[in-house]
Amino acid sequence: MIEFLFSYETLRITWWILLGVLLIGFAVMDGFDMGVGTLLPFVAKTDLERRVAINTVGPVWEGNQVWFILGGGAIFAAWPALYALSFSGFYLAMFLVLLALILRPVAFKYRSKRPEKTWRARWDGALFIGGAVPSLIFGVAVGNALQGVPFHLTSDLRPIYEGTLLGLLNPLALYCGLVSLSMLVMHGAAWLAFKAEGLVSERAKAIGSKAAILTGLLFAGGGALVWLGLLGGYRVTSAVKWDGPSNPLLKSVTKDGGAWLANFEAHPVLWLVPVLGIIGPFFVALGFRTRREGLTFIASKLSVAMIIATVGLAMFPVILPSITNPSHSLTVFDASSSRATLRNMLLATVFFMPIILLYTAWVYRVLWGKVSEKSIEKAGHSAY
């Protein structure tokens, strides 16, 4: 049993699953932070209302962002070829994301240092950028991964990326960016409806209901593109050796219009994931209208998880296809680190992940309760 659990093929699949868990964890946990930042100009009209919105995420955003660091670290350690290509090929896009994310902590810390309206308005704008830009760019990155990235590998496995920033901003990628943006706006609105009181909560419900419906429609539209074969997928056509060497040049891959549906057709139970991704946002919209804030936030979490999981299940075992030379695409079985690295990382994860989850649960338990204008006035300068 132990030998099976730590076999190379099992470790590769396990780390593909763990990478998906980390990315979903980032979208679910830090996603509502970014959603709140994006919604800030629309749900809060006065300084006090903006402080209510900001203080719903102010105490927890730093802990939530740990999921982003964990995801990047997992890619670096478990899938070094994927890290090298995505973080170098998407360098300018990643730079925009990091710049936006850097603005966010600075805005949290400095916004309330001075009382002038213009001073606070600038930092409110920074919070908006720190929420909206990453929400859009992450979706753009997924869109490019789905349609293929212009890269190839040399004989010594050195990656050569041939794309540009403008090339990343293609129609399909921007469409996926809109899915991501509307999804996280929905998620942020669900958090505000659950955590805030007063007009901030009411405006969040109104906007969140529209964002949820838009998310369901956009995600269904993306599924239709795949179903009609308008979004070509990639299929591994050579024999798969799950415990083989990490060499992407030892296989053949072809571009196939129906490839992204192959896993769902082979295992029909998997259709439940995209179906929940489509209908989940409509239940979120219903939750907003029936004022069941707790269930609405849970439905929003589930919707976000299912939308992201759909992409991973559709692409498996491909993790980054090459549009320049499909056979150079990176897959789960030929782009991983060594068996020893994956094993040692898994042991560390089994030890540390429960600690992170317990600490996170404890923090949210301590900070339980709604944020109101009265609580902000009572807290004074101790609140954001």
Side-chain angles (χ1 to χ4, degrees):
M1 182 64 177
I2 298 297
E3 183 178 351
F4 171 75
L5 290 176
F6 290 106
S7 65
Y8 206 3
E9 55 266 43
T10 302
L11 286 169
R12 281 170 162 166
I13 296 175
T14 299
W15 270 104
W16 174 78
I17 295 172
L18 285 174
L19 178 59
V21 169
L22 291 173
L23 293 178
I24 289 172
F26 167 63
V28 168
M29 299 301 294
D30 204 33
F32 68 76
D33 296 345
M34 292 186 286
V36 169
T38 306
L39 284 167
L40 188 61
F42 310 103
V43 299
K45 304 302 181 184
T46 67
D47 182 67
L48 188 57
E49 289 175 354
R50 285 189 285 273
R51 292 184 71 193
V52 169
I54 291 170
N55 276 274
T56 63
V57 297
V60 297
W61 72 268
E62 288 178 294
N64 292 341
Q65 198 160 275
V66 167
W67 291 92
F68 179 62
I69 300 170
L70 289 174
I75 294 174
F76 174 77
W79 312 99
L82 174 62
Y83 182 91
L85 272 167
S86 58
F87 280 76
S88 60
F90 295 173
Y91 180 80
L92 292 177
M94 290 295 180
F95 180 80
L96 290 176
V97 169
L98 291 176
L99 180 61
L101 292 178
I102 288 170
L103 284 176
R104 188 167 59 163
V106 178
F108 276 123
K109 298 301 181 184
Y110 281 93
R111 182 191 184 276
S112 295
K113 297 299 182 182
R114 293 172 60 180
E116 292 88 350
K117 290 183 179 180
T118 53
W119 171 269
R120 294 189 174 189
R122 292 192 189 103
W123 293 119
D124 290 340
L127 287 173
F128 171 77
I129 293 171
V133 171
S135 299
L136 180 68
I137 296 298
F138 285 136
V140 168
V142 172
N144 279 280
L146 281 168
Q147 64 185 329
V149 178
F151 75 89
H152 67 275
L153 303 173
T154 63
S155 58
D156 58 354
L157 299 182
R158 184 166 57 90
I160 305 296
Y161 180 78
E162 301 169 344
T164 63
L165 177 61
L166 291 179
L168 293 176
L169 302 177
N170 55 78
L172 177 64
L174 289 173
Y175 183 92
C176 292
L178 289 176
V179 175
S180 175
L181 181 60
S182 64
M183 176 182 73
L184 295 185
V185 167
M186 170 194 73
H187 198 38
W191 173 255
L192 284 173
F194 175 70
K195 189 69 174 177
E197 286 186 350
L199 290 175
V200 172
S201 179
E202 295 304 314
R203 293 185 187 119
K205 291 172 185 175
I207 297 173
S209 179
K210 296 181 178 65
I213 293 173
L214 181 61
T215 300
L217 292 175
L218 287 174
F219 185 60
L225 292 176
V226 176
W227 185 273
L228 296 173
L230 299 177
L231 172 58
Y234 294 80
R235 189 190 305 271
V236 179
T237 55
S238 58
V240 175
K241 190 174 183 181
W242 289 96
D243 59 349
S246 291
N247 187 344
L249 302 180
L250 302 180
K251 67 175 182 313
S252 60
V253 177
T254 59
K255 190 171 183 179
D256 182 350
W260 292 155
L261 296 175
N263 290 330
F264 300 103
E265 293 171 347
H267 307 283
V269 68
L270 296 180
W271 282 111
L272 182 63
V273 175
V275 168
L276 287 175
I278 292 173
I279 67 174
F282 294 100
F283 280 104
V284 175
L286 180 63
F288 281 124
R289 298 188 179 188
T290 57
R291 299 178 175 275
R292 306 189 69 173
E293 292 89 354
L295 291 177
T296 301
F297 188 53
I298 292 173
S300 182
K301 285 183 176 182
L302 179 64
S303 299
V304 171
M306 294 299 102
I307 289 173
I308 296 174
T310 297
V311 177
L313 291 173
M315 294 181 65
F316 183 83
V318 178
I319 51 178
L320 189 66
S322 167
I323 197 172
T324 305
N325 189 334
S327 291
H328 290 191
S329 300
L330 304 182
T331 68
V332 173
F333 58 85
D334 66 11
S336 73
S337 293
S338 68
R339 177 176 176 270
T341 299
L342 297 181
R343 180 196 62 214
N344 294 338
M345 285 176 56
L346 181 60
L347 292 174
T349 301
V350 169
F351 178 78
F352 285 108
M353 184 60 74
I355 297 175
I356 294 173
L357 293 175
L358 287 172
Y359 172 76
T360 301
W362 176 78
V363 168
Y364 279 89
R365 177 67 183 87
V366 170
L367 298 173
W368 192 258
K370 288 183 175 290
V371 180
S372 65
E373 292 185 8
K374 288 184 179 180
S375 66
I376 296 299
E377 291 174 332
K378 183 178 180 181
H381 291 292
S382 63
Y384 287 94

